[in-house]
Amino acid sequence: MAQLILVRHGQATPFEEITDRLSPLGETQSRKLAEFWIRNGASFDEVYTGSLDRQRRTAELVREAFTAHGLAWPEAQVIPELNEYDADSVVKHFAPQLAARDSQFRLLVEATECGGGPDQNRRFQKMFEVLMNRWITGELDSNEVESWRTFRDRVQRGLRRITSGAGPRPAKGRRVVAFTSGGPIGVAVQIALQAPDRTGLEVNWRVRNCSLTEFVFSGERLSLDSFNAIPHLDDPALRTFR
């Protein structure tokens, strides 16, 4: 069996003007991952990443640490299928629609518009979960926004590109790492467990920044080995979800 490790990117900057970049904490998380792998003698035959800046930067920081120690690190292959769903578009297009016909949801939207503060993320998450649960059913749909089904199918194509690819070692010995986001990791777990769509979304909420989710694969078979591990983030201050 070959091994695939999916890494969620380090913490990004979701509430800033530019959202697709790592925060200083996200960069620290990425370096901690590299240090952990180096200490434990980890090596990989293939490296993949989505095309989002936060995904590629996480991979880049790991590569920099490996090369600084004189260790081999394969050139990353960019697979856009590993990109996250467009959360900004989902909120922009669908939150006003749902708020106009659902008074309870409108209250959640209004709460998110109250500015920053220590509970900003909590207020946004409450609204976002309700919105996303409507989105995955297809109730909220627009030609301008990728549907959940389209998102799920493209992630599955990306995973197949990785697991069916011909690496430098025999298939049974391949060790592959891919830098991606919480949504694709949720879909990968859903596929491995043959679970319903809602499971993929619920898993997505629990994926920590810079966490490791491991699978083994052979042919068409993809099996979950471990989920959301953060042995490299030993300081609780480094453990984040958004």
Side-chain angles (χ1 to χ4, degrees):
M1 301 286 279
Q3 183 182 34
L4 169 63
I5 300 176
L6 297 184
V7 181
R8 187 188 176 196
H9 59 77
Q11 184 191 59
T13 53
F15 300 115
E16 297 183 10
E17 184 176 353
I18 300 175
T19 60
D20 186 21
R21 64 181 177 186
L22 293 187
S23 68
L25 177 58
E27 298 215 347
T28 298
Q29 292 166 335
S30 304
R31 294 188 178 98
K32 286 287 188 180
L33 173 58
E35 293 167 5
F36 172 78
W37 276 342
I38 290 168
R39 285 197 308 272
N40 287 276
S43 63
F44 300 95
D45 300 298
E46 299 155 57
V47 176
Y48 297 88
T49 176
S51 64
L52 299 177
D53 285 351
R54 58 190 184 270
Q55 300 167 338
R56 298 177 69 173
R57 179 59 177 162
T58 302
E60 180 183 336
L61 288 168
V62 174
R63 177 192 60 78
E64 288 176 358
F66 269 69
T67 56
H69 282 77
L71 300 172
W73 184 260
E75 183 176 354
Q77 302 178 55
V78 177
I79 296 185
E81 288 90 342
L82 297 179
N83 289 357
E84 184 62 286
Y85 51 77
D86 190 349
D88 289 343
S89 290
V90 171
V91 173
K92 176 183 176 181
H93 284 83
F94 299 139
Q97 292 181 25
L98 189 56
R101 63 176 189 259
D102 186 325
S103 59
Q104 291 300 312
F105 180 75
R106 184 166 61 252
L107 293 175
L108 295 177
V109 172
E110 291 171 354
T112 68
E113 296 171 347
C114 291
D119 66 340
Q120 179 183 22
N121 184 59
R122 180 186 61 80
R123 287 183 279 114
F124 175 82
Q125 186 65 24
K126 287 181 66 176
M127 179 278 294
F128 192 52
E129 287 191 20
V130 173
L131 185 67
M132 290 290 286
N133 280 323
R134 302 287 188 92
W135 175 63
I136 68 168
T137 66
E139 174 187 341
L140 300 172
D141 188 33
S142 167
N143 291 332
E144 298 180 62
V145 182
E146 182 181 44
S147 69
W148 168 267
R149 178 174 293 182
T150 302
F151 164 69
R152 183 197 62 204
D153 290 349
R154 75 160 162 83
V155 171
Q156 188 166 22
R157 287 196 307 274
L159 292 172
R160 284 175 177 165
R161 283 182 60 184
I162 294 171
T163 59
S164 65
R169 295 176 60 183
K172 66 179 181 180
R174 292 169 64 197
R175 194 157 190 262
V176 182
V177 61
F179 295 82
T180 181
S181 297
I185 292 172
V187 168
V189 172
Q190 175 193 350
I191 292 169
L193 299 179
Q194 300 182 37
D197 286 339
R198 190 172 297 277
T199 297
L201 185 61
E202 290 175 352
V203 167
N204 168 41
W205 304 137
R206 303 308 308 162
V207 182
R208 294 182 172 92
N209 292 120
C210 215
S211 63
L212 310 176
T213 296
E214 301 185 9
F215 303 83
V216 292
F217 65 92
S218 178
E220 295 293 318
R221 182 179 178 186
L222 181 71
S223 302
L224 181 64
D225 214 22
S226 67
F227 171 67
N228 207 27
I230 48 170
H232 49 295
L233 303 180
D234 49 357
D235 182 349
L238 295 175
R239 302 170 189 169
T240 58
F241 290 96
R242 176 175 285 117

